[in-house]
Amino acid sequence: MKLKGTRLDLRPLTLAQLSLAELNYAGLERDFDLNASGTVLDDEMLYAMQVRHSRVLQDPLNYPWLTNWAVIQREEQRLIGFIILKGCPNDQGEVIVGYTINESHRRQGYATEALQCICGWIFSDPRALWVIADTEKDNAASHKVLKHLGAQKHREAEELIWWRIARPGTQAPAEIGV
């Protein structure tokens, strides 16, 4: 399975690829037939790989909804980040996502393009009404990405803001106050 954006391809990691990402990131890049980046996953992303691995093991039929999706810069043939899907649409039609783009590829519109691409796939499922993403309150770059995609603030906590992107044609309630 592959999703195509203007400059990016998105590919869901299989169970074997999630294992590779944890143990041998260069091996994951070779498995996708990509140029090596020299990337080393930080502890937070390693943990995300382990959690996704566990979830895919529990429900292999729904793996695209439970895995990390590789964000591949097509021209460079380089893995530049991940979109993290955290499950099938819930009873409210919500799909929770996370994302990260490598430092060297930030502020070039890749996060916006990758999220736009995955939202298109998510909303192709009639159960999906909302895409939910959380950001730290001081992450202005991520706020800009989500606003560009039409996200509205959904709720806040001390350190986080939850954003909600509506399925096209869905009437979203007014943005919450800050």
Side-chain angles (χ1 to χ4, degrees), residues 78-91:
R78 195 170 310 280
L79 201 163
I80 64 166
F82 294 97
I83 301 286
I84 303 150
L85 290 188
K86 299 182 182 181
C88 297
N90 65 21
D91 292 340

Side-chain angles (χ1 to χ4, degrees), residues 92-166:
Q92 291 78 42
E94 298 170 331
V95 176
I96 301 170
V97 302
Y99 55 94
T100 184
I101 299 294
N102 295 349
E103 187 79 34
S104 61
H105 287 80
R106 291 182 185 161
R107 292 174 179 67
Q108 298 175 51
Y110 292 123
T112 301
E113 183 179 337
L115 280 171
Q116 191 170 41
C117 195
I118 201 74
C119 284
W121 179 80
I122 288 168
F123 290 136
S124 73
D125 186 305
R127 300 172 297 168
L129 301 175
W130 310 98
V131 171
I132 308 292
D134 65 73
T135 63
E136 294 175 352
K137 283 191 173 181
D138 63 354
N139 190 342
S142 209
H143 300 173
K144 183 178 175 183
V145 166
L146 291 163
K147 286 178 182 177
H148 187 74
L149 293 169
Q152 294 185 329
K153 292 179 184 176
H154 177 52
R155 75 176 193 236
E156 287 188 54
E158 188 173 318
E159 296 181 19
L160 295 175
I161 299 171
W162 282 267
W163 298 83
R164 181 164 68 175
I165 301 168

